[in-house]
Amino acid sequence: MSSDDASEDFPASKLERSGLFAKTGLKVGKNYAEYLMDRATGADDPEARKRELNTQNARDLFKEFTRLRGTALKLAQSMSMDTGLLPDEFMDVMAEAQYSVPPMNKALVRKRIRDGLGRFPELLFDAFEPEAMAAASLGQVHRARLDDGRTVAVKVQYPNVRETIESDLAVARTLFERLVEGEDLDDHFEEVKARLQEETDYLNEAENIHHFADQYDGDKLVIPRPVHDLTSEMVLTMTYVEGQHLDAFLDTDPDQERRDHFGQRLWDFLHEQVASNARTLHADTHPGNFLFRDDGRLGVIDFGCVKTFPQPFRDDMLRLYRARMADDEDEITRLLYALDILRDDLPQDTQDELRQFFDRYGSLIVEPYRQSTFDFGAPGFRERLQDSFEAASQLRAATGSPHFIFLNKALVGLLNLLTRLDARVDTTGSVSLLNEALADLGCAPVGK
């Protein structure tokens, strides 16, 4: 499929999209049937054949999801890259294709900008590059120049993305109902739907950018600024941020000092958000949203997926961190119930399984705070982290507050970035920040 006709193949109706989901399911089923046949006849190395099966299924899924774009592609990328819930082969395919979504053709881009801003791009900008510099799940980005000489990035949303959220989530829910048990799926899917609706409203994203630029742009971070008079629900114009994405940065073979430097920037950014009274988190912590710059500052882009936590949830998470650091088992138990991770209506064996998992995972998460400097490149930590992701994929109970969804997305994304950087991070500043936030709750501080 060429880039010129890719956009015309964007299936927008519920019937078309359901048909593509069904077609993809048949392909995956055929691949699996062939694998079972090979295994039954003893052909080939079973482990190698299973890896091949996973890769083929991932490629078939991604091929169709790039046509679906929107919610379907975003969910597929999130499941693979942010949580470790799918096999490694899926992550490899998704990472390889992260920036390979077919772009809209030039005529449709012009129409989308005219529909969103009232005029064609050549009448709005001093210069506009018709070729997309990046194309992702919900939209694509073009470089342009304003009349005052500033270089800007113009994000143009694919057609009908907002209209497909409900139908795509309905199909996704059917899949998840086969994988998990519990009565809280409604709350979890409502949380996902709410964030997706916000993410497809570029006026909302412009406000998010404004908030984060005011709070964090400076000596350590570079945040774009929105251009409000060239922004609408479907077109977002913001100042352009230079820098390399993670893969390009790692390809330069940076020394350990450089890796540690940017790892520290990432670590500090998340903790400043958690400790802030605004309780607002940049929740899409994946490699495509950070830029590694020659001047040492970290560029942060894409503020569609932003989560503001209710005060009680944020405060209980701080208390849980403190209880883990203090090994206060009674307080940990109380908070696991307060956060709906443990519930009296769950079978006892399920509660025991959940408690064991969250004790292991919680201990792993607080481990960096127990040391003044933590090495995220240490093989032992990386392996235990991957083991935790695999163990999480075996949990079939839908449990925990829906607010965990985007907290986990941010946290797991951060850990993934830090382990890929092999960064060594000074944690003393983050512990101080968290202690200040705990003091506001009337809690005693924690130490190393």
Side-chain angles (χ1 to χ4, degrees), residues 293-356:
R293 294 167 50 91
D294 291 340
D295 66 3
R297 293 187 293 171
L298 179 73
V300 187
I301 57 175
D302 198 332
F303 292 86
C305 185
V306 167
K307 170 69 178 176
T308 298
F309 296 100
Q311 190 81 48
F313 177 85
R314 180 264 197 176
D315 293 351
D316 278 345
M317 287 305 304
L318 286 171
R319 294 184 181 105
L320 183 59
Y321 154 77
R322 186 192 180 284
R324 288 284 181 202
M325 291 289 286
D327 295 319
D328 186 339
E329 294 298 325
D330 289 342
E331 180 68 352
I332 290 171
T333 300
R334 184 188 75 78
L335 288 164
L336 290 179
Y337 276 101
L339 292 163
D340 288 331
I341 292 171
L342 297 180
R343 298 199 315 268
D344 290 331
D345 63 313
L346 293 172
Q348 189 59 50
D349 59 341
T350 300
Q351 292 198 57
D352 293 342
E353 181 185 30
L354 288 168
R355 179 61 192 260
Q356 289 169 12

Side-chain angles (χ1 to χ4, degrees), residues 10 31 61 88 131 155 193 202 215 241 256 310 322 339 357 370 383 388 407 419 430 435 439 444:
F10 182 89
N31 295 339
L61 284 167
D88 290 344
E131 298 291 340
K155 185 154 71 167
K193 183 171 77 172
Y202 288 170
Q215 292 290 317
V241 178
Q256 189 64 50
R322 186 192 180 284
L339 292 163
F357 168 77
R370 297 185 185 279
E383 290 164 6
S388 291
L407 176 62
T419 54
S430 56
N435 276 337

Side-chain angles (χ1 to χ4, degrees), residues 119-137:
R119 302 169 76 189
F120 286 117
E122 58 268 23
L123 300 175
L124 294 167
F125 301 96
D126 184 54
F128 181 86
E129 295 182 6
E131 298 291 340
M133 54 184 285
S137 52

Side-chain angles (χ1 to χ4, degrees), residues 387-402:
D387 288 345
S388 291
F389 295 157
E390 291 177 6
S393 71
Q394 303 302 313
L395 294 174
R396 290 182 54 81
T399 188
S401 165

Side-chain angles (χ1 to χ4, degrees), residues 10-23 67-68 163-164 167-168 171:
F10 182 89
S13 75
K14 183 176 180 180
L15 182 62
E16 287 179 291
R17 295 176 76 79
S18 296
L20 270 176
F21 275 115
K23 176 184 173 184
R67 291 181 62 199
L68 289 163
E163 290 76 9
T164 64
S167 59
D168 284 359
V171 176

Side-chain angles (χ1 to χ4, degrees), residues 268-298:
D268 290 346
F269 178 49
L270 182 131
H271 286 84
E272 287 171 13
Q273 295 172 78
V274 170
S276 168
N277 289 328
R279 311 185 313 280
T280 298
L281 187 68
H282 179 284
D284 206 359
T285 311
H286 78 74
N289 291 339
F290 296 93
L291 297 169
F292 299 79
R293 294 167 50 91
D294 291 340
D295 66 3
R297 293 187 293 171
L298 179 73

Side-chain angles (χ1 to χ4, degrees), residues 12-255:
S13 75
K14 183 176 180 180
L15 182 62
E16 287 179 291
R17 295 176 76 79
S18 296
L20 270 176
F21 275 115
K23 176 184 173 184
T24 306
L26 288 173
K27 281 187 178 180
V28 170
K30 179 174 178 288
N31 295 339
Y32 190 64
E34 291 174 354
Y35 161 71
L36 289 178
M37 181 67 73
D38 287 347
R39 194 173 70 172
T41 57
D44 301 327
D45 175 5
E47 284 304 314
R49 184 69 185 89
K50 188 171 184 179
R51 289 193 295 272
E52 183 183 323
L53 167 75
N54 287 336
T55 299
Q56 186 58 53
N57 281 342
R59 292 195 182 282
D60 285 342
L61 284 167
F62 191 82
K63 179 181 178 182
E64 300 304 331
F65 281 4
T66 54
R67 291 181 62 199
L68 289 163
R69 297 187 184 89
T71 309
L73 179 57
K74 196 158 192 71
L75 287 172
Q77 289 173 334
S78 293
M79 285 177 67
S80 301
M81 300 188 70
D82 297 330
T83 64
L85 291 181
L86 296 180
D88 290 344
E89 292 79 15
F90 277 74
M91 188 174 77
D92 292 341
V93 170
M94 293 297 180
E96 176 185 310
Q98 182 72 15
Y99 307 107
S100 304
V101 181
M104 292 182 279
N105 65 48
K106 299 172 187 177
L108 184 55
V109 170
R110 291 181 74 244
K111 181 180 183 303
R112 295 292 289 165
I113 291 177
R114 185 199 64 187
D115 291 348
L117 300 178
R119 302 169 76 189
F120 286 117
E122 58 268 23
L123 300 175
L124 294 167
F125 301 96
D126 184 54
F128 181 86
E129 295 182 6
E131 298 291 340
M133 54 184 285
S137 52
L138 302 181
Q140 63 190 50
V141 182
H142 297 256
R143 193 195 309 253
R145 186 174 65 245
L146 300 181
D147 291 339
D148 63 11
R150 286 182 295 167
T151 302
V152 292
V154 184
K155 185 154 71 167
V156 185
Q157 193 172 115
Y158 299 132
N160 301 307
V161 166
R162 300 197 79 186
E163 290 76 9
T164 64
I165 291 174
E166 290 275 1
S167 59
D168 284 359
L169 284 178
V171 176
R173 178 176 178 130
T174 302
L175 170 63
F176 276 89
E177 282 176 339
R178 299 175 188 171
L179 300 175
V180 300
E181 301 168 346
E183 300 177 355
D184 294 336
L185 278 179
D186 284 344
D187 292 340
H188 287 77
F189 270 85
E190 283 300 315
E191 172 72 0
V192 172
K193 183 171 77 172
R195 299 290 79 73
L196 283 168
Q197 287 172 335
E198 290 176 356
E199 197 166 352
T200 54
D201 179 356
Y202 288 170
L203 289 171
N204 179 74
E205 183 170 355
E207 291 303 315
N208 290 339
I209 296 172
H210 183 76
H211 164 80
F212 278 88
D214 279 354
Q215 292 290 317
Y216 302 106
D217 185 68
D219 294 338
K220 297 181 179 180
L221 302 176
V222 179
I223 313 287
R225 292 280 178 175
V227 182
H228 291 288
D229 58 350
L230 291 172
T231 293
S232 69
E233 282 192 357
M234 68 177 73
V235 180
L236 170 62
T237 303
M238 68 200 108
T239 52
Y240 185 79
V241 178
E242 297 277 0
Q244 294 177 305
H245 288 295
L246 179 62
D247 286 341
F249 173 70
L250 293 177
D251 284 346
T252 67
D253 194 23
D255 60 24

